[in-house]
Amino acid sequence: MSKMELLAPAGGWEQLEYAVHFGADAVYLASQRYGMRRRADNFKEEDLPRAIAFAHDHGVAVHVTVNTLMTDENIDDLPRYFKLLEDAGADAAIIADMGALAICREVAPHVDIHLSTQASCMNAASAQVYQSLGVKRVVLAREMNLDEIARMKSRLPEGLEIEAFAHGAMCMAYSGRCLISDYLTGRGANKGSCAQPCRWEYALTEPTRPGEYFPVEEDAEQGSFIMSSRDMSMLGHLDDLAAAGIDSIKIEGRAKGTYYVASVVNAYRNVLDGGDPEVWQRELETTSHRPYSTGFYYGFPGQNPISAQYSRKYQMVATVKSCVPTDGGFQARVVCRNRFDDGDTVEVLSPRTPVRECTVRNLIWHAAPETDLTDILRDNLGTVVGPDPEVVHGRLLRVGIANRTMEEYSFDVPFGLQERDIVRISRDTSAIICENEPSPFA
């Protein structure tokens, strides 16, 4: 299984860094145009060379999505854009449009062409035609089951790779090509701006009974979510994906946050490297998700008709900046992301390592030089213990709570940590899905 490439989403700089840190073999990302995630952070065009260089320095390949529907105006700009990707060192471009494919092959000969799932390629004959046009890899239509994938793979010529989604949100439209958002909100899903109306709660109304709603489903409290699909998780079935001949497994989530990327990539990396799927499946329950299914791989995936929520039982509270040995163990210096207290029991995610637990002890706030400590000292919220040896005029305060987002704290830990490790706490942060959440597949 470890021979399958682990392809991770990188919706922005931090997600890129954490995908690399937690073991991705490759990442897929986009600039601020031509990608299916217009609301993700994405990368400025001038930042692409630096992002690609960062990944390459860590042995990670970079695939750039150029898979929106293309107008003539877009086509006129693509020679410039593909030349930019070639000069930046992109390993591959993920493309759905035939015109875009032809332009990429002509102006960026060193950039591999991967056929987007938006093209809905589901048979070997179609795949071989795309190969004749320069395609090296086909990202399979997600409606295919495992038997169909294995049959297709057996008919493909050597060298033509197949990639398939293994984890993340599912779209109710065929290969993600949906017009509901266009009609209801004027935001084009196929141009990267889906409003996800398939996740909204729907009910019937009757003109002579104003204000009275009739749920389509029998659950009168929840209403109906007949277009809301379950999320996919194939973590426990990676051997079946490998046996079907899949070369790369893809994690959905370029619009997701850092914790999601780190936790999911970490779980898949560990299982690909021989870890117990049951242990790491529990890890996937800590991330923001809807009820899981196995997609269409084994048949009908079912729907999510009872809840419009993302469920998550853990929250990232800090990221590790550094860790140094002390007489009794180690001291971790972290960047606060959400509140945590001295004495809290927390868990730590580190690459290729089982999840570890520890208690926050000796919590120190690294106050910046310009910080006004008058109220802190007056109200006994902290005690100055000395200067910060790493920051000129900075001060260290012993505190009982870390609640200053993006400021630095340190505390004692019983084991060594690495930069970019993640500290989390058991905390229910389930949230209603925002109606402008992006369409899930790219």
Side-chain angles (χ1 to χ4, degrees), residues 83-122:
K83 184 64 166 61
L84 181 151
L85 297 186
E86 168 111 340
D87 293 342
D91 297 282
I94 304 172
I95 300 172
D97 182 87
M98 293 285 284
L101 189 157
I103 293 169
C104 182
R105 183 179 63 177
E106 179 181 352
V107 305
H110 298 101
V111 176
D112 289 341
I113 298 173
H114 293 179
L115 185 70
S116 171
T117 190
Q118 301 295 119
S120 299
C121 183
M122 300 181 67

Side-chain angles (χ1 to χ4, degrees), residues 337-383:
R337 306 300 286 268
N338 288 288
R339 169 182 171 158
F340 64 98
D341 297 343
D342 191 68
D344 276 347
T345 298
V346 296
E347 295 180 349
V348 179
L349 299 186
S350 302
R352 294 179 168 86
T353 303
V355 177
R356 293 172 288 178
E357 185 178 276
C358 66
T359 300
V360 176
R361 303 291 189 197
N362 191 27
L363 183 61
I364 302 294
W365 171 34
H366 296 249
E370 66 275 10
T371 304
D372 184 354
L373 300 179
T374 303
D375 293 344
I376 301 294
L377 300 177
R378 182 196 64 208
D379 298 335
N380 295 318
L381 299 176
T383 304

Side-chain angles (χ1 to χ4, degrees), residues 2-20:
S2 62
K3 293 182 180 180
M4 288 193 297
E5 176 187 79
L6 178 56
L7 178 58
W13 265 106
E14 191 172 60
Q15 293 94 322
L16 168 63
E17 292 171 350
Y18 279 78
V20 170

Side-chain angles (χ1 to χ4, degrees), residues 267-282:
Y268 277 82
R269 178 76 277 156
N270 274 279
V271 175
L272 283 170
D273 292 346
D276 184 348
E278 290 189 11
V279 170
W280 290 101
Q281 183 66 40
R282 291 196 294 271

Side-chain angles (χ1 to χ4, degrees), residues 186-438:
R187 288 170 45 183
N190 297 297
K191 301 292 283 187
S193 298
C194 183
Q196 283 219 327
C198 61
R199 308 294 185 182
W200 298 352
E201 180 179 355
Y202 291 91
L204 295 175
T205 62
E206 204 280 324
T208 65
R209 295 172 174 82
E212 189 172 354
Y213 293 86
F214 302 92
V216 177
E217 294 288 319
E218 293 183 1
D219 188 340
E221 292 182 0
Q222 293 287 346
S224 173
F225 301 90
I226 58 173
M227 293 184 289
S228 181
S229 55
R230 296 175 181 265
D231 284 3
M232 179 199 294
S233 175
M234 285 293 287
L235 187 69
H237 307 279
L238 297 185
D239 51 350
D240 286 350
L241 297 181
I246 292 171
D247 298 286
S248 176
I249 56 171
K250 188 171 193 173
I251 297 170
E252 179 274 333
R254 277 200 301 116
K256 300 288 183 66
T258 300
Y259 175 70
Y260 169 89
V261 172
S263 179
V264 175
V265 170
N266 192 39
Y268 277 82
R269 178 76 277 156
N270 274 279
V271 175
L272 283 170
D273 292 346
D276 184 348
E278 290 189 11
V279 170
W280 290 101
Q281 183 66 40
R282 291 196 294 271
E283 174 66 19
L284 297 181
E285 298 298 327
T286 73
T287 66
S288 177
H289 69 282
R290 299 180 183 89
Y292 287 125
S293 75
T294 52
F296 288 90
Y297 286 114
Y298 301 102
F300 183 64
Q303 64 183 57
N304 177 34
I306 61 172
S307 175
Q309 289 185 337
Y310 270 130
S311 173
R312 187 173 69 187
K313 303 301 183 183
Y314 282 79
Q315 185 177 48
M316 179 173 71
V317 294
T319 55
V320 176
K321 182 177 181 181
S322 62
C323 187
V324 295
T326 63
D327 291 339
F330 298 86
Q331 184 184 59
R333 184 163 178 157
V334 304
V335 178
C336 177
R337 306 300 286 268
N338 288 288
R339 169 182 171 158
F340 64 98
D341 297 343
D342 191 68
D344 276 347
T345 298
V346 296
E347 295 180 349
V348 179
L349 299 186
S350 302
R352 294 179 168 86
T353 303
V355 177
R356 293 172 288 178
E357 185 178 276
C358 66
T359 300
V360 176
R361 303 291 189 197
N362 191 27
L363 183 61
I364 302 294
W365 171 34
H366 296 249
E370 66 275 10
T371 304
D372 184 354
L373 300 179
T374 303
D375 293 344
I376 301 294
L377 300 177
R378 182 196 64 208
D379 298 335
N380 295 318
L381 299 176
T383 304
V384 176
V385 295
D388 188 340
E390 296 187 21
V391 179
V392 177
H393 302 305
R395 286 167 289 181
L396 304 178
L397 284 83
R398 189 179 309 279
V399 293
I401 181 173
N403 60 353
R404 294 172 178 262
T405 304
M406 301 311 292
E407 295 198 22
E408 295 182 12
Y409 294 80
S410 61
F411 57 90
D412 296 339
V413 291
F415 37 72
L417 301 176
Q418 306 174 47
E419 181 183 5
R420 298 193 182 95
D421 284 358
I422 284 178
V423 182
R424 74 184 184 200
I425 195 168
S426 177
R427 182 180 294 159
D428 192 343
T429 58
S430 300
I432 298 293
I433 296 169
C434 181
E435 68 180 35
N436 63 5
E437 178 191 348

